[in-house]
């Protein structure tokens, strides 16, 4: 998943894999200060990865839990390789995750690095993917809460002009058109099953080549806008497509795995039903479009994650006045 690729970035010099004190801790302005009455129900640490969407989700979780009476803080840890063990250990209590990506991460951790390729557990079926994730997470002291509608997974976009000229709304439409397309993506697109090989096999798309400008980068999008390339690999919550006059083509045959957003908690420290109920209110409300707009506000309008989250929660009636 492209979102997962964004998580696996260079590690900060202060991060190590052992012990909560060694994790980079960035307090959240406003998360634990919503008039919740401090420690009435205990303290919860919400984990966040080092990219916009994860930071926004962490703020949403922290503010909701603070509003419910918990003393919350946010700990930002750049990679899943670091924050997942911290979640198991209890240095982090809750984190917003992506169903398929976490399932395959734990699959590799439990069954070996080749397991996700040779014996994958994730699929485009969200219910089956979450069920497999639960099997892997439970023995590690983690509880997987229900997934919602919001999903951040690989997606492919074309220019509005190209879509209109060729009457394209879905990836099936592109396959039926028999048009040759060059994909702006990472070099790995050539071999990854969810990129060029999958587009060819599932949709019959004629991939003429890969332009290695990166996943969802401005350079990749500009290349498609200019007509140098015809297709760009990005994500379903990409908030800047409109800036380049690009539109997503629907993955109508479900090539991509179900990377629906869901909360994962440390069972011992945050497995209470009340915590699950509080987080469920957001899970049942948040849509992919909502998440895209939150990303846009932070990245394009430079709104702070704290403020964007608060405004959203208030607009949906999820915070007490």
């Amino acid at each position: 998943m492209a979102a997962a690729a964004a998580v696996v970035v260079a590690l900060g010099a202060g991060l190590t894999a052992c012990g909560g004190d060694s994790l980079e801790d960035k307090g959240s302005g406003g998360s634990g200060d919503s008039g919740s009455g401090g420690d009435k129900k205990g303290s919860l640490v919400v984990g966040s990865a080092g990219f916009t969407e994860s930071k926004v989700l962490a703020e949403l979780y922290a503010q909701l839990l603070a509003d419910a009476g918990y003393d919350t803080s946010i700990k930002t840890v750049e990679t899943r390789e670091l924050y997942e063990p911290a979640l198991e250990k209890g240095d982090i209590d809750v984190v917003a995750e992506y169903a398929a990506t976490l399932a395959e991460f734990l699959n590799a951790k439990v069954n070996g690095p080749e397991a996700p390729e040779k014996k994958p557990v994730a699929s485009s079926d969200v219910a089956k993917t979450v069920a497999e994730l639960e099997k892997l997470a439970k023995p590690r002291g983690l509880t997987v809460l229900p997934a919602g509608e919001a999903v951040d997974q690989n997606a492919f976009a074309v220019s509005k002009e190209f879509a209109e000229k060729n009457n394209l709304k879905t990836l099936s439409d592109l396959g039926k058109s028999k048009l040759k397309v060059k994909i702006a993506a990472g070099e790995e697109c050539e071999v990854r099953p969810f990129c060029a090989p999958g587009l060819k096999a599932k949709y019959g798309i004629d991939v003429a080549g890969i332009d290695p400008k990166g996943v969802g980068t401005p350079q990749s999008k500009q290349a498609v806008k200019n007509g140098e390339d015809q297709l760009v690999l990005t994500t379903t919550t990409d908030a800047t497509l409109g800036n380049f006059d690009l539109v997503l083509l629907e993955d109508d045959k479900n090539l991509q795995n179900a990377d629906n957003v869901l909360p994962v908690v440390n069972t011992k420290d945050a497995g209470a039903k009340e915590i699950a109920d509080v987080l469920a209110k957001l899970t049942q409300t948040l849509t992919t479009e909502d998440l895209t707009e939150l990303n846009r506000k932070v990245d394009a309008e430079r709104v702070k994650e704290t403020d964007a989250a608060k405004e959203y929660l208030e607009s949906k009636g999820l915070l007490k006045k």
Side-chain angles (χ1 to χ4, degrees):
M1 187 191 79
V7 182
V8 186
V9 295
L11 306 187
L15 301 184
T16 67
C18 52
D21 292 339
S22 67
L23 300 175
E24 185 178 0
D25 194 352
K26 298 178 182 177
S28 166
S31 296
D33 303 316
S34 58
S36 63
D39 288 321
K40 282 194 297 184
K41 294 182 180 179
S43 299
L44 292 172
V45 178
V46 180
S48 168
F51 61 102
T52 296
E53 187 169 290
S54 184
K55 293 176 182 178
V56 169
L57 286 166
E59 280 289 348
L60 291 168
Y61 284 12
Q63 291 185 34
L64 266 181
L65 291 165
D67 196 55
Y70 296 90
D71 182 22
T72 62
S73 61
I74 291 176
K75 189 180 288 277
T76 300
V77 187
E78 294 293 334
T79 73
R80 185 175 283 106
E81 284 78 1
L82 292 180
Y83 72 67
E84 190 278 333
L87 183 63
E88 288 187 22
K89 187 177 179 180
D91 293 330
I92 291 173
D93 300 305
V94 57
V95 69
E97 264 291 2
Y98 303 91
T101 297
L102 182 60
E104 294 300 359
F105 176 85
L106 293 181
N107 186 20
K109 192 170 183 177
V110 173
N111 299 310
E114 295 183 352
E117 182 179 350
K118 293 187 175 180
K119 291 186 178 180
V121 296
S123 69
S124 60
D125 187 315
V126 64
K128 290 180 180 178
T129 298
V130 172
E132 292 296 329
L133 172 56
E134 289 172 340
K135 292 178 189 176
L136 290 163
K138 188 175 180 180
R140 310 191 77 82
L142 304 178
T143 296
V144 177
L145 300 180
E149 175 190 337
V151 60
D152 186 351
Q153 60 194 27
N154 285 345
F156 294 91
V158 297
S159 70
K160 287 182 181 179
E161 181 182 358
F162 187 75
E164 291 171 0
K165 179 181 177 181
N166 297 289
N167 195 27
L168 305 177
K169 293 184 179 179
T170 68
L171 289 171
S172 286
D173 292 337
L174 182 57
K176 292 173 185 175
S177 74
K178 303 302 179 183
L179 293 165
K180 289 184 179 291
V181 297
K182 194 173 182 181
I183 306 173
E187 291 182 357
E188 66 277 5
C189 178
E190 190 168 348
V191 296
R192 292 286 170 85
F194 303 116
C195 202
L199 292 175
K200 293 175 184 177
K202 181 153 282 194
Y203 289 106
I205 293 173
D206 189 350
V207 178
I210 308 299
D211 186 359
K213 285 184 165 65
V215 178
T217 62
Q219 294 86 349
S220 287
K221 294 172 194 171
Q222 190 65 45
V224 173
K225 180 180 180 180
N226 294 344
E228 299 168 30
D229 302 325
Q230 292 71 47
L231 202 61
V232 59
L233 172 60
T234 182
T235 68
T236 51
T237 59
D238 188 328
T240 64
L241 291 176
N243 298 347
F244 296 88
D245 293 322
L246 305 182
V247 292
L248 292 177
L249 294 182
E250 181 188 348
D251 180 19
D252 54 306
K253 291 184 180 178
N254 298 316
L255 171 63
Q256 305 303 326
N257 280 341
D259 259 319
N260 296 62
V261 177
L262 49 77
V264 180
V265 302
N266 178 283
T267 305
K268 180 180 178 182
D269 296 337
K273 182 178 182 299
E274 182 183 11
I275 292 173
D277 290 344
V278 169
L279 295 174
K281 294 176 183 177
L282 175 64
T283 300
Q284 293 163 8
T285 302
L286 189 68
T287 66
T288 305
E289 292 72 23
D290 292 341
L291 200 48
T292 304
E293 176 60 13
L294 284 163
N295 288 339
R296 189 194 66 78
K297 285 186 175 181
V298 173
D299 288 336
E301 296 182 9
R302 302 304 178 193
V303 176
K304 292 181 179 179
E305 290 94 347
T306 306
D307 297 333
K310 183 178 181 181
E311 180 185 353
Y312 176 78
L313 292 172
E314 289 179 344
S315 73
K316 298 297 182 179
L318 297 177
L319 286 184
K320 301 184 187 79
K321 296 294 183 180

